[in-house]
Amino acid sequence: MPPRPRSIDVTQVAEWRDGQVRRAQDYLVAEEPLEIRIGKTPLSVTMRTPGHDLELAAGFVFTEGLIKKREQILSLEYAKTRSRTRPSSGNVVRVRLTGASLKPEQLRRNFFMSSSCGVCGKASIEAVMARGIRRPNPNFVLDPAVLCTFPDTLKAAQSIFDRTGGLHAAGLFDAQGKLVVLREDVGRHNAVDKVIGWALLSGQIRPPLADYALMVSGRGGFEIIQKVLLAGVPLVASVSAPSSLAVRLAREAGMTLVGFLRGQRFLVYSGEERLQSKNAKASDCPTELGAPARPRVQS
């Protein structure tokens, strides 16, 4: 058995306040490499916050298009390592698949792409759409007033962020605003993979996640939109700005993409038709389609 994952570390710091210096303890979010193997072959190494590693691996092989359903995962386990210093580090996960025709060159390509994020432009969108992605559920409707509750609900559930202030979160919500599952990680893409992996492995809900919305902290980048599209989620919201490539992909795929969701305001970049107010009181949570001045945040 691997050791129990540590999501938080403690360190000593010098705190400066009002011209005075004192020694104190501070909490740091843990970050360690996780190697995902298909059988004995390395697929990817990602820097992640330990915890929910099996969900991360399951979500990764799904959002990378290696599998299309849960039944293709024959086994999912921590691999035994031969390191004498850390004989059971818990940093290697082995996945056995069926019905997935994987060539060695495909595994090498996925490995290096995941390490360098070397995808961009029109070719990236064409590659995603070539996977046969279906347009997300056109019948999914969300009340803007409900959408406006997502940030506070997400923040209230972030136990690790409250102590460290140093990681991202992804949360899956139903149309009534209930938070179904939340995962935290130093990488926002890892948090998304953990959520999707949870859906795959738990059996409670399974992709396509056609009746749910996903909210992520930070910005909504291309990689996030790509992963969520493969899971069939019709609406993605973030507290910051999406990238230009993410907006192009969302529009081409028919996904609703929301940015700058804070308080009682947000911007809609794609798929406005899925946001319909039940009481028609637009003042409850204004939506904007332009690009007015707004505060910038770190993403």
Side-chain angles (χ1 to χ4, degrees), residues 5-202:
R6 292 181 57 184
S7 300
I8 297 176
D9 287 328
V10 180
T11 189
Q12 295 293 321
V13 298
E15 180 184 14
W16 189 95
R17 178 181 295 182
D18 297 328
Q20 302 295 319
V21 178
R22 72 179 185 92
R23 300 295 173 181
Q25 283 190 339
D26 190 33
Y27 294 102
L28 299 175
V29 60
E31 182 178 26
E32 295 184 10
L34 177 70
E35 179 180 312
I36 301 173
R37 299 176 182 173
I38 303 299
K40 297 181 179 180
T41 305
L43 172 66
S44 175
V45 175
T46 182
M47 299 303 297
R48 99 304 189 190
T49 299
H52 306 289
D53 292 335
L54 300 185
E55 293 176 353
L56 173 56
F60 183 83
V61 297
F62 182 86
T63 60
E64 285 296 306
L66 302 184
I67 64 171
K68 294 183 179 180
K69 55 185 179 179
R70 167 66 178 87
E71 288 73 19
Q72 290 179 267
I73 300 178
L74 295 179
S75 65
L76 186 63
E77 60 187 0
Y78 287 97
K80 294 180 179 179
T81 60
R82 297 181 179 179
S83 170
R84 293 181 179 179
T85 58
R86 301 187 69 184
S88 184
S89 65
N91 285 336
V92 179
V93 170
R94 182 168 56 238
V95 188
R96 290 180 58 239
L97 303 177
T98 183
S101 56
L102 303 175
K103 300 178 181 179
E105 57 267 26
Q106 290 178 306
L107 296 179
R108 286 195 295 268
R109 184 174 68 249
N110 284 333
F111 177 82
F112 287 111
M113 281 179 59
S114 298
S115 300
S116 63
C117 298
V119 293
C120 60
K122 182 180 178 181
S124 301
I125 294 180
E126 290 178 347
V128 173
M129 300 307 294
R131 295 184 184 182
I133 296 175
R134 296 181 180 180
R135 296 179 73 83
N137 181 10
N139 299 316
F140 179 80
V141 175
L142 186 65
D143 190 321
V146 173
L147 177 61
C148 286
T149 67
F150 285 10
D152 287 343
T153 302
L154 192 76
K155 185 177 180 180
Q158 288 186 254
S159 60
I160 302 176
F161 180 84
D162 280 345
R163 300 176 67 184
T164 66
L167 78 175
H168 292 284
L172 192 68
F173 292 82
D174 65 18
Q176 288 71 48
K178 177 185 177 182
L179 178 60
V180 179
V181 63
L182 174 139
R183 291 292 181 261
E184 297 177 281
D185 200 280
V186 288
R188 64 176 66 85
H189 55 93
N190 289 338
V192 171
D193 277 337
K194 288 179 178 181
V195 167
I196 295 172
W198 171 86
L200 273 173
L201 300 178
S202 69

